[in-house]
Amino acid sequence: MSKILSMKELVPTIYEAVVEAPEIARKAKAGEFLVVMPDEKGERVPLTIADFDREKGTITIVFMTIGTSTYKLAAMKAGDSYYAFVGPLGHASEIKNYGTVVMVAGGVGTAPIYPIARELKKAGNKVISIQGARTKELLFWEDKLAGVSDEHIITTDDGTFGRKGLVTEPLKEICEREKVAVVYAIGPIPMMKFCTFTTKPFGVKTIVSLNSIMIDATGMCGGCRVNVGNETKFTCIDGPEFDGHQVDWNLLTSRQKIYLAEEKCSLEKYVEEAKK
Ligand SMILES: Cc1cc2nc3c(=O)[nH]c(=O)nc-3n(C[C@H](O)[C@H](O)[C@H](O)COP(=O)(O)OP(=O)(O)OC[C@H]3O[C@@H](n4cnc5c(N)ncnc54)[C@H](O)[C@@H]3O)c2cc1C
């Protein structure tokens, strides 16, 4: 049981929880993830480590409400405990001095990209961050990301803050402007996919963190399988980070939708129960 020390709604639909987890915090590295169960009957929800504090023994998670399990997580309060909080899982990001790195964050992807950007900055890289959101109201952690970046660009789809448009536009301009060693792109699948299409003509290595549907997160069930470079990989034990130029995006997109009917039914039932 891991206790929630603080819980807040950062922006509509996106929540931040700081959790007491000294054992995990001691070992946590940027890029790794956790499995969180709200209660005994809950699903195993994979969530990336958004931050960690080894001295305080805390882990920060940031999640977007999308279905039953994330609604259950959002309904929990400071003082409550998760039934399970397991990690760190997956491979950590490879942190070294590459030169110039561009960190592209879309929506809730700002949270997982932040600790990677911080570690890359500490390793001596020039860090350029591009943070995108649909609208101003959905932007969060701008100061945190700017604080670990040499240059920080914000885009909103509707132009209510920063530059109007998609993250791929400044990404293309930066690749034209200077030599970029590595791009990290974390966010919704279409956003990551189009970032890889943008960088491909420039030959810039592009790392993505995949959020394929995951069940056990230990390499046993194969639920999170993805095709990378014509090989089957498991996001849980081979990832979650992969070379974005090698990912079969069509397969990932179609596999992400396989339980839509069940997820819809589950959410309707959850909302009905919550009303009682
Ligand atoms: C390694 C990894 C790290 C992740 N990190 C974060 C994070 O930091 N913040 C965040 O908001 N989300 C993260 N996700 C996605 C998050 O796990 C899903 O949004 C969540 O499991 C949805 O559960 P649900 O019951 O609320 O929604 P559901 O109704 O079950 O599903 C809604 C949609 O979410 C996707 N989804 C469902 N179950 C999973 C699952 N087990 N794994 C991945 N996607 C799923 C599907 O596209 C589905 O259609 C991560 C996923 C993975 C695999």
Side-chain angles (χ1 to χ4, degrees):
M1 300 281 258
S2 298
K3 190 168 158 191
I4 304 171
L5 299 176
S6 72
M7 172 76 185
K8 65 177 168 195
E9 188 178 13
L10 289 173
V11 292
T13 72
I14 299 181
Y15 294 79
E16 175 194 294
V18 178
V19 184
E20 187 177 62
E23 288 296 306
I24 302 176
R26 199 161 49 80
K27 297 186 212 145
K29 294 195 199 82
E32 294 172 330
F33 70 99
L34 307 150
V35 161
V36 185
M37 282 176 74
D39 54 52
E40 198 177 353
K41 291 184 181 168
E43 277 184 312
R44 303 159 63 90
V45 186
L47 295 174
T48 313
I49 295 174
D51 209 351
F52 51 89
D53 187 322
R54 296 209 167 94
E55 278 177 28
K56 291 185 186 153
T58 59
I59 293 283
T60 303
I61 51 173
V62 173
F63 56 90
M64 187 163 73
T65 47
I66 183 165
T68 308
S69 300
T70 43
Y71 274 96
K72 277 189 184 178
L73 291 175
M76 295 178 77
K77 310 258 175 306
D80 292 345
S81 292
Y82 297 120
Y83 175 73
F85 197 75
V86 180
L89 300 166
H91 292 283
S93 308
E94 196 179 341
I95 304 295
K96 60 181 184 186
N97 192 340
Y98 294 99
T100 297
V101 294
V102 181
M103 313 300 289
V104 194
V108 73
T110 298
I113 224 160
Y114 164 72
I116 308 172
R118 182 182 61 196
E119 297 309 311
L120 287 170
K121 178 75 185 142
K122 273 193 216 158
N125 292 281
K126 175 181 173 186
V127 176
I128 304 174
S129 303
I130 306 171
Q131 180 176 0
R134 284 204 316 278
T135 188
K136 179 185 176 188
E137 206 195 3
L138 295 175
L139 281 166
F140 68 94
W141 282 20
E142 305 97 289
D143 292 351
K144 280 182 88 155
L145 195 54
V148 296
S149 307
D150 295 277
E151 187 180 343
H152 180 228
I153 300 159
I154 294 182
T155 64
T156 49
D157 298 4
D158 62 2
T160 44
F161 195 85
R163 206 174 140 161
K164 184 175 191 299
L166 304 174
V167 288
T168 44
E169 291 159 24
L171 176 61
K172 181 167 180 267
E173 288 166 11
I174 294 163
C175 290
E176 284 165 345
R177 183 184 84 188
E178 62 185 275
K179 186 170 169 16
V180 175
V182 178
V183 168
Y184 265 85
I186 309 185
I189 291 172
M191 172 251 158
M192 293 192 281
K193 172 176 148 181
F194 283 103
C195 284
T196 66
F197 290 179
T198 304
T199 56
K200 185 114 200 224
F202 298 95
V204 179
K205 182 173 180 176
T206 302
I207 300 166
V208 293
S209 182
L210 298 184
N211 54 348
S212 52
I213 289 184
M214 195 174 279
I215 302 156
D216 73 345
T218 63
M220 301 275 285
C221 74
C224 66
R225 66 186 176 274
V226 286
N227 188 306
V228 183
N230 287 326
E231 278 182 48
T232 297
K233 300 275 180 194
F234 290 174
T235 300
C236 61
I237 51 165
D238 299 318
E241 290 178 3
F242 293 101
D243 176 351
H245 293 146
Q246 305 286 326
V247 172
D248 181 338
W249 294 103
N250 291 338
L251 181 68
L252 178 65
T253 307
S254 64
R255 284 188 56 77
Q256 205 68 358
K257 295 178 189 151
I258 48 182
Y259 299 114
L260 275 183
E262 291 84 353
E263 288 158 1
K264 185 169 174 277
C265 173
S266 165
L267 185 59
E268 281 167 4
K269 210 171 146 201
Y270 176 72
V271 171
E272 255 332 285
E273 293 284 318
K275 278 188 202 155
K276 285 182 193 163

